[in-house]
Amino acid sequence: MSKFSGKALLPWPFVRQYIIPGFMKNTDSWYMIPQQFRKYFGNHNPDKDTPVGQISLRVNEVCNLRCGSCGQWGENGHLRLKLERGERLDQLDFDTVKRVIFETRRDRPFYYIWGGEPTMWKPLLPLFEELARYKLKGSIVSNSQDMDRILEDLIDTGSLQVLFLSLDGWNSESQNLMRSPANGRASDNFEKTMAVIEKAHEIKKRKNLLFPFIIPISVISNHNYMHLADIHRLVLDKAQLHPYYFGWFITEERCAQHEQVFESRFGFKPHNHKGYLKSCFNDVDPAETARQIKEINQISKGRSCVPQFLPDIETESEIRRYYEDHSWHCGYPSCESIYYTAEISPDGRVTPCRDYQDYTCGNINKQSFYDIWNGKEFKQFRREMKKGLMPVCTRCCGLQGF
C-alpha cells in the first residue's frame, strides 16, 4: 500500500515521472514542498494555530448532471432535496473569494475548485487570473460541461495545476447512463469529456507544458466495474494519473450510528450524510473488480498514465471487505485533512469536512478567514476527531483520498 503511517500518498511512479520534474522545472512551485511535508508528516495539535495548506471552494450548487454516485444530486442528495423544497441554490460571491485569496496569500494555500459544476460559475476564469496575481496554484474538478470554451485561457494563467475530469463510462452509452442530464434531454457527456481531455493534451504538447496534470476520475459502481480496464485504455497516453474511487457511500445502520455519535459530540443531529445512502454500489462484484485492477496494472506498464485506487486496496478479499464491513477504515485510522484544508460552501459557510458538511465553523461572508480557521469551532472539531472517527468517516474521500 502506498501510504506512510496511515496517511495516503501519491503513487511513486506518478511522483517520479511528474511531480519531481514539475518541481524541478517550475521554481515558483517550490513553496509547496514544505506544505506537503507538513501535510503528511506534521505533528497535529488540535489546539494550536496552524497555516492553511488548501482552500477548497465549492463555488456553486447548480449542476447540469444527475449522477447516481453523487452525494449532492444523487438519489438521496441533499441538493436534490433542497431543490425539491423550492429553496434557492447558492453560489460564492467572487468579491468574497478575492478577499479570501488576499487574506491567506502569505500561507500560499493550494485552491481546490469544485461544485456543483464549477464551469457553470461565471467567474471561474477570473478566479484563476486572481490566483496568478499572487503566483498561487489550484485545481478544478469538472464534468466538462462548459470547459472547452475557456480551457486554453485557464491553462495560460499558469495557475491551473491539476484538471480533474469525471470519466465513469467506456463509451457514450455507459457514460451518459451514469451521468444523465438534469433536464432529461439527450446529451453526450462522454464525447464532451473526451474532447476536453484531448484538447488539454494537445495544448500541453503544443506549448511544451507539464501543467496542468490531466487526471480523469472514475467512480467504480454497479454499472462499470466490469469495464474498468476499458476506461483506462481511453486515457493511457493522454493523462498523467487515473484515480479509481471505490465509491463513498453509507448503510442505513451506519447512518443511524452516525447520528447518535455526532449528536453526542456536537449537540445536534446531522442531515447531509443521508445523501450518501446510495444503491449504485450494492452489486459490485469484488472478484471481477480485482481482476480488472490487475489488468489495469498490466496495461499501464510503460505508458504515460499511472493508475491509482482509492482507498488503495486491490485484492478480492479487501474489496469485498470494503463493501461489506463499514467499520473497516481501510488503513486510514485518523482524519488528517482537518489540519490542512478549509472547505468553503457556496453560501459562505466554512466547514472542516468536504462530504459531510453539517458542522459549521463560521461564515466567510461575515468573518475573516483566520478568525474561522483558528477559531474555537474548528479547534473543537479537531479535538473531537482526536477521539476517533465517526461512523460515516470510514467511507469518506477526505479521509482516504487526502
Side-chain angles (χ1 to χ4, degrees):
M1 291 187 177
S2 57
K3 58 182 181 288
F4 178 85
S5 188
K7 302 173 184 178
L9 295 173
L10 291 168
W12 170 244
F14 176 71
V15 174
R16 184 184 69 246
Q17 293 178 53
Y18 301 110
I19 297 293
I20 294 175
F23 278 134
M24 295 301 292
K25 186 174 181 179
N26 295 272
T27 57
D28 60 348
S29 296
W30 285 10
Y31 73 89
M32 296 179 67
I33 296 175
Q35 280 189 357
Q36 294 301 305
F37 185 87
R38 179 169 55 83
K39 172 180 174 179
Y40 289 117
F41 305 104
N43 182 19
H44 298 132
N45 182 342
D47 294 305
K48 185 179 179 181
D49 289 358
T50 182
V52 62
Q54 177 173 299
I55 295 179
S56 176
L57 300 177
R58 188 159 62 97
V59 294
N60 61 359
E61 292 183 330
V62 65
C63 188
N64 56 298
L65 299 181
R66 296 293 181 265
C67 309
S69 60
C70 180
Q72 299 182 59
W73 287 106
E75 58 194 282
N76 292 299
H78 59 90
L79 292 184
R80 178 189 286 268
L81 297 177
K82 182 177 182 179
L83 191 63
E84 289 175 357
R85 293 193 298 267
E87 298 177 22
R88 181 177 64 90
L89 298 177
D90 290 304
Q91 63 175 343
L92 274 172
D93 176 72
F94 184 47
D95 286 336
T96 300
V97 171
K98 288 195 290 185
R99 174 171 58 82
V100 171
I101 292 171
F102 183 79
E103 283 184 15
T104 62
R105 67 195 186 283
R106 289 186 177 85
D107 280 348
R108 307 192 76 179
F110 187 83
Y111 279 80
Y112 179 94
I113 313 302
W114 67 304
E117 170 48 40
T119 62
M120 299 176 74
W121 187 64
K122 291 183 179 179
L124 183 61
L125 178 58
L127 165 60
F128 276 85
E129 292 171 339
E130 189 74 9
L131 293 179
R133 286 183 60 194
Y134 301 100
K135 296 184 177 179
L136 299 173
K137 307 297 181 183
S139 65
I140 298 174
V141 184
S142 173
N143 64 37
S144 305
Q145 167 63 13
D146 200 22
M147 179 65 70
D148 179 77
R149 180 179 57 85
I150 58 173
L151 179 59
E152 189 153 2
D153 290 336
L154 282 167
I155 292 174
D156 285 345
T157 67
S159 284
L160 179 59
Q161 199 157 48
V162 185
L163 181 59
F164 294 104
L165 297 167
S166 301
L167 181 64
D168 289 345
W170 58 98
N171 56 24
S172 291
E173 183 180 4
S174 57
Q175 174 89 349
N176 299 332
L177 171 67
M178 290 177 274
R179 296 188 166 273
S180 57
N183 58 16
R185 300 172 188 165
S187 175
D188 197 330
N189 183 253
F190 177 81
E191 182 177 298
K192 189 170 290 188
T193 299
M194 293 307 301
V196 170
I197 291 173
E198 182 66 43
K199 184 172 183 177
H201 176 69
E202 182 275 324
I203 293 170
K204 288 176 60 180
K205 188 175 180 180
R206 170 164 43 92
K207 298 188 175 185
N208 192 28
L209 300 174
L210 282 172
F211 299 106
F213 294 143
I214 303 168
I215 303 184
I217 297 176
S218 299
V219 180
I220 301 170
S221 71
N222 300 343
H223 302 292
N224 67 3
Y225 69 84
M226 68 296 285
H227 289 281
L228 303 180
D230 292 330
I231 299 172
H232 192 56
R233 287 188 179 91
L234 297 170
V235 297
L236 273 173
D237 297 311
K238 295 182 175 67
Q240 287 69 60
L241 184 69
H242 186 186
Y244 286 85
Y245 288 89
F246 281 92
W248 315 120
F249 70 107
I250 59 176
T251 64
E252 291 282 2
E253 179 185 14
R254 297 295 281 186
C255 179
Q257 291 174 356
H258 177 68
E259 291 172 10
Q260 294 175 358
V261 172
F262 188 99
E263 187 171 23
S264 69
R265 291 188 181 187
F266 303 112
F268 64 96
K269 280 191 175 182
H271 297 283
N272 287 349
H273 65 294
K274 293 180 180 179
Y276 291 84
L277 288 166
K278 308 171 189 176
S279 60
C280 59
F281 306 113
N282 293 347
D283 297 317
V284 174
D285 185 324
E288 176 59 21
T289 303
R291 193 193 71 77
Q292 290 284 323
I293 290 173
K294 185 177 180 180
E295 184 176 349
I296 289 168
N297 287 329
Q298 290 173 341
I299 64 176
S300 63
K301 292 178 181 177
R303 309 300 283 269
S304 65
C305 187
V306 178
Q308 182 183 25
F309 306 98
L310 294 167
D312 48 353
I313 56 176
E314 299 185 12
T315 68
E316 178 183 349
S317 61
E318 288 177 323
I319 296 168
R320 188 177 304 280
R321 188 179 180 188
Y322 178 87
Y323 291 109
E324 295 180 356
D325 180 9
H326 278 248
S327 66
W328 183 41
H329 54 58
C330 307
Y332 301 85
S334 60
C335 183
E336 313 293 349
S337 66
I338 55 177
Y339 297 93
Y340 188 83
T341 303
E343 304 287 340
I344 302 181
S345 295
D347 59 1
R349 291 180 302 112
V350 181
T351 66
C353 181
R354 180 175 303 163
D355 287 337
Y356 308 112
Q357 297 185 341
D358 289 288
Y359 185 93
T360 300
C361 299
N363 193 300
I364 203 65
N365 293 323
K366 304 173 183 177
Q367 301 164 266
S368 71
F369 177 83
Y370 286 105
D371 283 348
I372 301 171
W373 176 248
N374 292 318
K376 62 180 183 179
E377 288 83 4
F378 227 120
K379 289 178 178 178
Q380 180 191 2
F381 191 87
R382 293 173 184 139
R383 283 194 298 270
E384 290 296 331
M385 292 304 293
K386 276 285 187 181
K387 299 176 182 178
L389 299 174
M390 289 184 284
V392 298
C393 297
T394 58
R395 297 297 176 269
C396 170
C397 66
L399 180 78
Q400 298 166 350
F402 177 73

